[in-house]
Amino acid sequence: MIDVDQDQEHGPDEDQLDALDATDFDAFIVEEAAKRPRQPVKLYGKTYVLPDSLPVMFTLLMTRVEDSQDPEDVARLLALLFGGDVLDSWAEKGMTDRQLGILLIFSAANTRMPGSVTLARAAELYEEQEAGKAAVPNRATRRATGKKKRSGGRS
């Protein structure tokens, strides 16, 4: 191991850097990706192949647009997994919001671990998720209903 002295203002000494072999992370990524299985998905007559892992941008966008109603946010997420402008194409073919939700659950799970979730299981998970949303009223609904007042004062 070579000890690299760093000068606070100038960084490592150039002679020391020349003595180190650069680690090629780009080559590592390509090599590792080739070993990982990828899940194909057939949709509207076209076969898409999910990425070998979830892109960081997908994860970042999911947290940023979690409560967004903007179709452009959904389109950007789908482009990261399926490429291109698929949302408009699928919408024109009649895709429903339920089908889109199932596809997103299926795709996220099977990008992480291909074959881990069937479409039927993704549909069950979607239904559970939707039931959970319905069970908890949103803030505006809670405020509109107000708190019930007790009759008769304190006991």
Side-chain angles (χ1 to χ4, degrees):
M1 177 183 264
I2 298 175
D3 184 26
V4 178
D5 293 327
Q6 290 195 7
D7 180 331
Q8 293 292 0
E9 292 182 31
H10 304 290
D13 181 270
E14 288 296 320
D15 291 332
Q16 289 176 326
L17 284 179
D18 289 341
L20 294 172
D21 288 332
T23 300
D24 191 345
F25 193 71
D26 293 333
F28 171 77
I29 292 169
V30 170
E31 188 177 305
E32 185 183 59
K35 296 176 192 174
R36 292 179 53 90
R38 295 175 63 188
Q39 177 74 48
V41 179
K42 188 173 180 182
L43 184 61
Y44 298 114
K46 182 174 179 179
T47 300
Y48 300 90
V49 180
L50 295 173
D52 65 306
S53 60
L54 282 176
V56 171
M57 185 56 74
F58 182 88
T59 306
L60 290 172
L61 281 174
M62 280 297 288
T63 58
R64 291 177 185 162
V65 303
E66 188 173 355
D67 297 321
S68 174
Q69 299 298 320
D70 186 353
E72 286 303 312
D73 292 335
V74 175
R76 289 189 315 192
L77 285 170
L78 290 172
L80 290 168
L81 294 180
F82 295 95
D85 188 19
V86 295
L87 182 60
D88 287 339
S89 172
W90 295 345
E92 288 170 5
K93 290 180 168 71
M95 180 176 268
T96 66
D97 62 340
R98 179 179 185 277
Q99 292 167 341
L100 179 60
I102 293 168
L103 180 63
L104 281 172
I105 290 169
F106 174 86
S107 300
N110 285 291
T111 296
R112 289 184 184 107
M113 186 182 299
S116 63
V117 173
T118 65
L119 285 169
R121 179 65 181 138
E124 290 172 2
L125 292 169
Y126 177 82
E127 297 303 330
E128 290 172 14
Q129 182 179 3
E130 289 301 300
K133 285 181 185 176
V136 180
N138 67 27
R139 188 177 196 180
T141 304
R142 289 191 313 262
R143 285 186 174 180
T145 58
K147 293 183 179 179
K148 293 182 180 179
K149 298 195 181 217
R150 289 190 215 175
S151 59
R154 293 186 173 195
S155 46

